[in-house]
Amino acid sequence: MDALINKRIQEVLKGDQTAFAEIVELYQDKLYRVCYRMLGNKQEAEDMAQEAFVRAYTNIHTFDTNRKFSTWLYRIGTNLCIDRIRKKKPDYYLDATVPGTDGLDMYSQLAASDERPEDEVVKMEMQERVQYEISRLPEKYRAVIVLKYMEDLPLQEISDILDMPLGTVKTRIHRGREALRKQLSSM
Amino acid sequence: MNSCPKEIVEYMHEYLDGDIHPSHESVLKTHMQDCASCANHFQELSKVVALVQGVSHVTAPVGFVNGVTARLPKEHKTVSWRR
């Protein structure tokens, strides 16, 4: 796979857009899936995933072919989604920490913009409910949970994608799991 | 549960990461045999993992590739000449 991708990248570097379309074909589902799970909205996911490919194209000369292409692509995509999530919520959400709670409950103090009434949430289909609860997680937990459990990626690769130490990835997965446990306790 | 050793929850996460030392694992298992609250906590965490993993895969919408191509900057003129 990587040998084929590197060949296509060489062609793209020579200015061949058709070769890039082949790369998009190969990775579209992976990238769209991550964006969709992080954003919880099909239209936004399509927009962000397409934007990620456009940025990959314009920055392709910066890609180190000794590394894994999917890691690089995931990084572009998750960064775009994280930026989008941050822009959508009020400023105070960003740095809000609740003293003495180990950072765990900060999200629960603040209503997300698309928060739904309790009785509506109870009636959701299981899959819809899980997606909804994921989209209520703070983005820093959301990214690790999506990459770990929906993409089934090794912790080291998640650490490379998100450009953070392995220990931080683990802590965020632990907190993400605890947060989801509380949110899903009624199921 | 408030009287439980603080590291028990930490061991649960180590276990779920597939990254637990055998000595921690035996402490965790012994504790959960006696503590219904921690056993329940662990079961809820395991359920979260199963639920999140169970969400079905979505695929990119039809026309996705064309959508990307349409958004790409125009090719360099030198390349078009060579064709």
Side-chain angles (χ1 to χ4, degrees):
Chain A
M1 179 83 159
D2 281 343
L4 172 74
I5 286 300
N6 286 341
K7 190 161 171 271
R8 293 289 170 267
I9 290 170
Q10 292 311 318
E11 291 162 2
V12 175
L13 283 168
K14 288 177 193 154
D16 183 357
Q17 284 195 347
T18 321
F20 191 72
E22 279 185 55
I23 296 176
V24 179
E25 188 78 49
L26 286 168
Y27 289 98
Q28 58 175 344
D29 287 339
K30 271 175 187 270
L31 198 61
Y32 174 79
R33 205 158 58 212
V34 169
C35 294
Y36 177 64
R37 293 304 173 198
M38 282 187 69
L39 299 167
N41 175 296
K42 286 180 182 171
Q43 201 56 50
E44 278 188 353
E46 184 174 3
D47 187 32
M48 285 299 102
Q50 290 189 339
E51 180 61 25
F53 278 114
V54 172
R55 295 203 183 183
Y57 178 82
T58 51
N59 293 292
I60 197 93
H61 58 281
T62 67
F63 172 65
D64 174 2
T65 49
N66 296 315
R67 308 192 65 170
K68 210 171 159 186
F69 183 73
S70 60
T71 302
W72 188 69
L73 194 60
Y74 276 137
R75 183 186 288 199
I76 298 172
T78 50
N79 279 338
L80 280 171
C81 290
I82 289 170
D83 283 349
R84 167 66 66 102
I85 295 162
R86 285 181 180 157
K87 276 185 195 144
K88 271 172 42 172
K89 64 191 178 188
D91 290 342
Y92 61 80
Y93 195 109
L94 280 176
D95 303 299
T97 48
V98 183
T101 56
D102 203 22
L104 253 186
D105 290 334
M106 61 180 179
Y107 68 95
S108 63
Q109 306 288 313
L110 305 147
S113 54
D114 49 0
E115 199 89 2
R116 302 207 209 170
E118 180 77 18
D119 54 341
E120 204 183 302
V121 171
V122 173
K123 278 188 239 152
M124 283 180 181
E125 294 287 335
M126 193 266 281
Q127 298 234 348
E128 190 194 359
R129 172 74 190 274
V130 173
Q131 175 65 55
Y132 171 71
E133 298 301 349
I134 287 171
S135 57
R136 288 173 66 209
L137 289 174
E139 77 280 353
K140 59 183 194 174
Y141 302 156
R142 219 185 295 182
V144 291
I145 292 288
V146 167
L147 294 172
K148 162 86 180 153
Y149 288 114
M150 291 168 155
E151 294 307 299
D152 204 20
L153 295 177
L155 296 179
Q156 184 56 56
E157 198 173 336
I158 298 173
S159 146
D160 292 340
I161 291 167
L162 298 173
D163 199 20
M164 60 176 67
L166 196 56
T168 310
V169 172
K170 283 188 187 175
T171 306
R172 290 186 179 189
I173 288 176
H174 298 182
R175 291 185 178 167
R177 277 194 299 241
E178 289 294 344
L180 284 173
R181 181 179 77 87
K182 288 184 185 170
Q183 292 172 211
L184 288 163
S185 60
S186 62
M187 279 188 90
Chain B
M1 189 174 153
N2 286 335
S3 59
C4 298
K6 197 173 173 285
E7 61 272 18
I8 289 296
V9 172
E10 196 50 44
Y11 293 171
M12 292 181 195
H13 287 287
E14 288 177 5
Y15 183 89
L16 293 171
D17 286 339
D19 180 17
I20 189 169
H21 191 275
S23 66
H24 289 179
E25 188 171 346
S26 75
V27 170
L28 175 65
K29 288 194 167 160
T30 310
H31 179 79
M32 287 198 300
Q33 279 167 6
D34 297 331
C35 178
S37 172
C38 283
N40 184 52
H41 188 137
F42 181 73
Q43 206 192 340
E44 285 178 355
L45 284 174
S46 308
K47 190 176 162 191
V48 162
V49 171
L51 284 172
V52 177
Q53 283 177 327
V55 170
S56 60
H57 276 172
V58 291
T59 52
V62 177
F64 184 91
V65 179
N66 288 339
V68 173
T69 317
R71 287 165 77 158
L72 294 182
K74 294 274 181 285
E75 290 183 68
H76 295 300
K77 279 190 173 133
T78 47
V79 177
S80 324
W81 288 341
R82 260 185 259 140
R83 283 192 184 148

